[in-house]
Amino acid sequence: MPLLSLSFLPEQAAVASKPVDSLFIYLIFISSFFGLLIAAMIIFFSIRYKRKSESDRPKEIHGNNKLEMLWTIIPLIISLTIFGWGLVLYFNNYRPPAHALEVFVVGKQWMWKLQHPSGPREIDELHVPINYPVRLTLTSEDVIHSFYVPAFRIKMDAVPGRYTHTWFQATKVGKYHLFCAEYCGTEHSKMIGWVHVMSQEDYQKWISERTGQTPMLEPGASALSEGEKIFQKYRCFACHHAAAGALGPDLSGIYGKQVKLLDGTTVTADENYLRESIKTPQIKIVEGYAPLMPTFENILSEEQIFAIIEYLKKWNSGTLPQDAEGTQSA
Ligand code: CUA
């Protein structure tokens, strides 16, 4: 498709690249068509209807319904095609497949810190397998940054105090530029890096060289060891268990559930809620419990909190039944 590989566009290296480019080219085509049409008509009319003498008076007109309908309906239809097309792309690009590889991204003046589900961490470099969806969860330790990989056509803000998400599926082995696309201070322009797309075998080798384990690139299988280790280390299960007299709410199946709070309101236990409840547990107290939990604000890093949340998710999905002693039974 020669039209879609125009040289001014970055390389197409992800599933989303071509569809995004097609819409972009469609927008350019429509804008240039009408831009040129309007410019040509301005020139033509100013010559054609130039006032010839002082007494020259144009004929009075009182509107033209046909013409007005035409210039309302045609642009409406064109705008709706842009809307519909954009909507489809938006949904595709913001809803990752359920089995995606989870990578955690922290923006920090002035670097990108990346963590793989199985443990390895990287700075300003990200290694990913080809033809496999990768879901990024982003946050920031200071100001707003923006994770931008032109070849994948993704750009997502990393915002302090909350999680944002994006995903991609690389289609070509290679090395692609990673930028920060939000001015974030004096060294913003140096906040750059690389995304390395590797074959799935190479990726597995790369991970196993660092962890001693071979990651499973299969639906639902990602290493949980990080989050589980932290959960055990801080003895979270000592309070959070299902038995009578527990000091904290039972966390099995917590992810995605509706949680009733002391003040009568209800919240969904999503990633942002879980993160807040680990960092500052006093803000939202679950109904029936006392505000006993200490804050982990300065104890756990963003990476560790993310690992715990990933752990709770898997626990929830039933793939990891576990009793209050923290021993895995599956
Ligand atoms: Cu980080 Cu610009």
Side-chain angles (χ1 to χ4, degrees):
M1 273 179 277
L3 181 70
L4 298 186
S5 49
L6 297 181
S7 59
F8 67 90
L9 292 172
E11 195 177 345
Q12 297 173 327
V15 170
S17 306
K18 261 184 192 161
V20 168
D21 287 359
S22 307
L23 177 59
F24 183 62
I25 288 163
Y26 178 64
L27 291 174
I28 290 183
F29 173 78
I30 289 179
S31 323
S32 8
F33 174 78
F34 284 102
L36 288 173
L37 184 71
I38 291 166
M41 283 166 88
I42 289 173
I43 294 167
F44 174 73
F45 287 154
S46 52
I47 294 167
R48 172 77 172 72
Y49 297 107
K50 186 178 184 299
R51 190 157 72 161
K52 308 269 179 351
S53 70
E54 280 294 314
S55 58
D56 201 1
R57 294 283 184 275
K59 205 166 55 177
E60 259 182 60
I61 54 164
H62 299 279
N64 183 331
N65 283 342
K66 228 189 245 171
L67 198 61
E68 283 173 25
M69 291 297 276
L70 215 63
W71 77 45
T72 305
I73 289 170
I74 291 178
L76 178 71
I77 291 171
I78 294 173
S79 314
L80 285 177
T81 62
I82 297 171
F83 170 76
W85 193 341
L87 191 72
V88 171
L89 280 192
Y90 182 87
F91 274 120
N92 290 342
N93 290 354
Y94 285 84
R95 286 190 305 194
H99 63 287
L101 190 73
E102 297 276 350
V103 173
F104 185 53
V105 184
V106 181
K108 185 190 163 152
Q109 284 168 325
W110 288 273
M111 64 173 91
W112 291 108
K113 299 195 290 180
L114 301 116
Q115 174 159 10
H116 292 260
S118 39
R121 293 181 184 180
E122 304 187 71
I123 287 180
D124 291 338
E125 310 249 353
L126 173 61
H127 290 75
V128 293
I130 191 173
N131 296 330
Y132 200 83
V134 177
R135 179 178 185 254
L136 304 175
T137 298
L138 307 103
T139 192
S140 165
E141 283 185 11
D142 36 49
V143 299
I144 300 177
H145 304 275
S146 185
F147 190 92
Y148 180 37
V149 185
F152 299 165
R153 310 296 189 271
I154 56 163
K155 188 197 273 175
M156 182 50 71
D157 280 2
V159 183
R162 77 166 75 155
Y163 290 140
T164 53
H165 303 280
T166 186
W167 77 283
F168 63 86
Q169 180 167 330
T171 51
K172 256 192 226 172
V173 168
K175 203 175 149 193
Y176 305 97
H177 260 302
L178 158 65
F179 295 100
C180 175
E182 181 78 47
Y183 181 69
C184 55
T186 49
E187 281 172 52
H188 155 74
S189 64
K190 290 185 191 158
M191 196 168 159
I192 50 180
W194 295 99
V195 179
H196 301 267
V197 178
M198 315 163 90
S199 73
Q200 297 197 355
E201 299 74 52
D202 286 351
Y203 175 76
Q204 283 172 321
K205 215 192 291 162
W206 187 88
I207 290 285
S208 67
E209 275 165 12
R210 282 156 184 80
T211 62
Q213 306 163 359
T214 305
M216 303 292 285
L217 289 177
E218 274 169 21
S222 66
L224 305 156
S225 46
E226 271 308 287
E228 187 177 0
K229 267 186 245 156
I230 300 162
F231 204 79
Q232 309 258 343
K233 184 178 168 197
Y234 291 95
R235 299 189 54 80
C236 306
F237 51 80
C239 296
H240 293 282
H241 60 80
L247 294 177
D250 179 26
L251 297 180
S252 50
I254 182 74
Y255 184 72
K257 262 202 187 148
Q258 296 294 313
V259 177
K260 217 160 169 229
L261 302 180
L262 203 58
D263 62 7
T265 57
T266 305
V267 291
T268 305
D270 57 9
E271 292 165 326
N272 280 308
Y273 165 78
L274 293 173
R275 179 180 175 278
E276 182 190 78
S277 295
I278 295 169
K279 284 182 87 107
T280 46
Q282 304 79 16
I283 293 180
K284 295 192 177 105
I285 301 296
V286 177
E287 191 185 41
Y289 294 93
L292 295 173
M293 180 166 157
T295 173
F296 285 82
E297 175 87 55
N298 299 314
I299 297 171
L300 298 175
S301 69
E302 289 290 350
E303 286 90 339
Q304 290 175 312
I305 292 174
F306 180 72
I308 292 179
I309 294 172
E310 285 308 294
Y311 175 58
L312 292 177
K313 277 191 204 171
K314 295 293 162 123
W315 191 358
N316 160 46
S317 69
T319 54
L320 201 85
Q322 169 160 349
D323 58 35
E325 277 73 54
T327 47
Q328 222 170 293
S329 54

